[in-house]
Amino acid sequence: MNLFKKFYCRTFQIFMRAAIPFMPYRQPEILQSVNDVATVLKNKRIDKVLIVTDAGVVKCGLTDGLKESLKENAIAFAVYDRTMPNPTIDAVECARELYLKENCRAIIALGGGSAMDLAKACGARIVRPKKSLIKMGGLLHVRKKLPPLFAIPTTAGTGSETTIAAVITDASTHRKYAINDFSLIPHYAVLDYKLTLGLPSTLTAYTGMDAMTHAVEAYIGRSTTRKTRAKAIQAVKLINENILTCYNEPTNAEARKNMLFASHYAGIAFTISYVGYVHAVAHSLSGMYGLGHGLTNAVLLPVVLQTYGKKVQKKLSKLAKACGIASAEDKKAQAAEKFIARIYELNAAMNVPKSFEEIKDEDIPKMAKFANMEGNPLYPVPLLMNAKQLEKIYYKVKA
Ligand SMILES: [Zn+2]
């Protein structure tokens, strides 16, 4: 990256960092059980809601408890259950039409990151009927209060229940882009670990490593605060200690609970301190080939950390020591290496692949361009890279 661009990126990031204390960050109110949702709705005198979910979640019976408790409290509901991974603009519009047709007055997202992203974008379109989703991409283009939004994660990964972002795919260009606005932070987050007990092991691995990536990218970035560093450390420690237990013993309540809270803490960390190039590259890969978000992050995380090299050593070493991955006596370089090795070790223990057969040489420049557009100047990464430099990362994970 040339000096002028570097100067521009870093100045932008310094400005954004200085603005953190003045930004209207808020955290959702935490509810411990799906049954609490009906109580809140009743207090707000809301009698009809839209549930945004996906067919798999419905089939597993995960919406049953919520539906029953709504019925018991005489709250009617419409269900949009066609959420697919990587939600598209069309899907958001379908959900919005249903909300309006059924006269709903609140939105409940129940599912993984995709359901929550779709619900947030749907809420944004409801309060901004004249503004297209594409125009809402980027930072602070919604600027209007959403209808009451409840987020009920069924995976421990995205942390979307506490973040300002909704990631949407433009199906016509295969481009994924993020809408970031404080109004997208859900009003309520339901952290009910019982909903994650049946999560298949592959999803446990991918979503858990997504949360790990959130915490690591937030921590090694240049816009951290004392609070986000603490939350990131808590998250990495919990994930490091619990992810394999969840993978091997899916119904271990304690480990599931820990992972759900880890994912939430990682969400708090990255919504204030941002992610980095792992996410920028991952978004372009999953936009192009429909690969899962967590999977792409899991594969890319150690590779990007290695690419950052010396620039990230000090912070990775601190993180590794704080989480018990390296010992206090380890030298900086050694501790950082141990951290990266641990990520590879976790990936291997959960059968996460090391590369993607889908990647085609001719697609790489386009994807790198998207990653560059997403990452620069917004993400306060430890080492700035332009599109040409980012291309190398794709080759490293190409089978
Ligand atoms: Zn993520």
Side-chain angles (χ1 to χ4, degrees), residues 127-167:
V127 295
R128 285 276 181 204
K130 288 186 182 146
K131 198 168 192 176
S132 72
L133 274 180
I134 297 216
K135 288 207 170 127
M136 288 186 214
L139 201 58
L140 304 180
H141 294 303
V142 183
R143 297 197 308 272
K144 211 162 178 196
K145 201 172 167 212
L146 263 56
L149 176 61
F150 295 75
I152 314 180
T154 57
T155 64
T158 66
S160 188
E161 73 279 1
T162 184
T163 71
I164 64 169
V167 181

Side-chain angles (χ1 to χ4, degrees), residues 24 49 102 115 124 128 135 145 153 168 173 184 200 215 247 315 335 363:
V49 296
E102 298 284 338
R128 285 276 181 204
K135 288 207 170 127
K145 201 172 167 212
I168 300 297
T173 60
L184 299 192
Y247 184 81
K315 284 195 165 175
D363 296 334

Side-chain angles (χ1 to χ4, degrees), residues 373-387:
M373 278 159 68
E374 177 182 330
N376 301 322
L378 188 62
Y379 297 159
V381 288
L383 172 72
L384 288 169
M385 285 184 255
N386 60 21

Side-chain angles (χ1 to χ4, degrees), residues 95-205:
R96 172 176 171 258
E97 274 165 31
L98 184 61
Y99 180 98
L100 295 173
K101 192 180 111 207
E102 298 284 338
N103 290 317
C104 298
R105 291 181 48 220
I107 306 175
I108 304 174
L110 195 152
S114 300
M116 287 188 269
D117 284 347
L118 196 151
K120 287 176 176 179
C122 173
R125 281 285 291 128
I126 286 159
V127 295
R128 285 276 181 204
K130 288 186 182 146
K131 198 168 192 176
S132 72
L133 274 180
I134 297 216
K135 288 207 170 127
M136 288 186 214
L139 201 58
L140 304 180
H141 294 303
V142 183
R143 297 197 308 272
K144 211 162 178 196
K145 201 172 167 212
L146 263 56
L149 176 61
F150 295 75
I152 314 180
T154 57
T155 64
T158 66
S160 188
E161 73 279 1
T162 184
T163 71
I164 64 169
V167 181
I168 300 297
T169 302
D170 182 346
S172 62
T173 60
H174 295 288
R175 188 184 158 202
K176 269 191 155 192
Y177 65 99
I179 304 169
N180 299 285
D181 199 297
F182 299 101
S183 61
L184 299 192
I185 300 172
H187 304 99
Y188 300 90
V190 184
L191 298 182
D192 189 338
Y193 75 91
K194 292 189 276 314
L195 294 175
T196 68
L197 290 177
L199 196 65
S201 52
T202 328
L203 271 180
T204 300

Side-chain angles (χ1 to χ4, degrees), residues 157-158 210-211 213-214 270 275 279 283 293 297:
T158 66
D210 182 27
T213 309
H214 296 152
F270 91 84
V275 283
H279 268 78
H283 284 149
H293 175 70
N297 275 328

Side-chain angles (χ1 to χ4, degrees), residues 32 153 155-157 159 161 191-197 199 204 207-208 211-212 215 231-247 249-267:
Q32 302 276 353
T155 64
E161 73 279 1
L191 298 182
D192 189 338
Y193 75 91
K194 292 189 276 314
L195 294 175
T196 68
L197 290 177
L199 196 65
T204 300
T207 54
M212 176 69 103
K231 290 288 173 198
I233 289 173
Q234 258 182 307
V236 173
K237 194 166 188 299
L238 283 171
I239 296 164
N240 180 47
E241 288 167 2
N242 291 280
I243 193 168
L244 293 185
T245 311
C246 287
Y247 184 81
E249 305 164 35
T251 56
N252 186 312
E254 191 60 30
R256 287 292 195 190
K257 201 174 183 177
N258 285 336
M259 280 301 292
L260 194 55
F261 275 84
S263 155
H264 188 69
Y265 298 149

